[in-house]
Amino acid sequence: MSAVTDLHGGPSRFRSATASLRGAQCRPEIELTEIPVPMGPSDAVAFSATVADATAAIGRREPGELATGRFILSYDPSRKNEWGGSFRIVTYVKAQVERDLGHDQLLASVAWSWLLEALDRNGAGYTREGGTASRVLAEGFGQLADTGEDIDVELRASWTPADEDFGKHLEAWADMVCTFGGLPPVTDGVVSLTGR
């Protein structure tokens, strides 16, 4: 990830957390961009993510886009009792899935497990995790009847980091976004082949 100019003048603990995020080494298939924080505390940093398919899959709303998401790290010591710490991570990810997978009743719980597995695999300690997973069905009618059926899976999740190595949390989340996009997990010593 390229260096990003510090947009925040918050406390040194928050600046250190932002530096940790900016130093994360994420998979090359994911494009991370620091974005303005949508709403919330002033001491927060946000990233958007896109996993693109080099083959530009035909029929997607955004050609070649496999998954998208947002990652926000907030710092608010006044919420320490509520969060179980001074930092809280809030995330969102969305991906279009194949019809068979989209109709699977277990898809939501599988999506949740992808997050926890990615956090564990990357050594990102967490507590007070929570979230919702949804399957969203879009079907065209009238002039849009020939567009067929689109099924998206969405995961909204938040957790409190158990340590201050925030780069691990961003790396874990980026891995999970790649999983949502249909890319296989990358393990040390195993070379990933591109393609869905």
Side-chain angles (χ1 to χ4, degrees):
M1 190 162 96
S2 60
V4 181
T5 305
D6 189 356
L7 304 175
H8 309 280
S12 62
R13 193 169 173 209
F14 176 70
R15 286 194 306 272
S16 175
T18 334
S20 178
L21 289 172
R22 293 180 181 139
Q25 298 296 311
C26 297
R27 292 176 60 163
E29 301 95 335
I30 192 163
E31 180 182 326
L32 286 174
T33 306
E34 187 170 348
I35 59 172
V37 178
M39 293 188 330
S42 59
D43 290 331
V45 62
F47 294 87
S48 69
T50 303
V51 177
D53 183 2
T55 61
I58 296 172
R60 296 187 177 278
R61 286 187 298 275
E62 297 293 328
E65 192 174 273
L66 298 176
T68 60
R70 286 186 310 273
F71 177 103
I72 301 171
L73 174 70
S74 297
Y75 174 69
D76 188 347
S78 70
R79 299 183 76 176
K80 191 172 186 173
N81 289 337
E82 176 188 351
W83 290 348
S86 297
F87 289 94
R88 187 78 177 166
I89 294 172
V90 178
T91 65
Y92 169 78
V93 65
K94 176 180 177 179
Q96 191 174 77
V97 295
E98 295 174 3
R99 190 174 191 280
D100 291 343
L101 181 60
H103 286 287
D104 188 330
Q105 296 297 316
L106 297 176
L107 179 60
S109 35
V110 168
W112 176 252
S113 72
W114 287 340
L115 172 63
L116 300 183
E117 289 169 5
L119 289 167
D120 292 340
R121 190 172 50 247
N122 284 274
Y126 58 92
T127 184
R128 300 201 183 181
E129 67 279 5
T132 60
S134 308
R135 289 178 297 148
V136 180
L137 170 66
E139 192 171 351
F141 297 96
Q143 291 184 327
L144 299 176
D146 62 347
T147 60
E149 181 182 76
D150 287 335
I151 302 175
D152 292 333
V153 61
E154 298 179 354
L155 179 69
R156 290 169 177 79
S158 63
W159 64 92
T160 298
D163 55 48
E164 295 196 11
D165 188 352
F166 301 107
K168 283 185 188 177
H169 292 267
L170 184 57
E171 290 166 5
W173 178 78
D175 284 353
M176 187 264 308
V177 175
C178 288
T179 301
F180 264 68
L183 302 179
V186 174
T187 309
D188 288 343
V190 176
V191 177
S192 175
L193 301 176
T194 56
R196 193 171 172 114

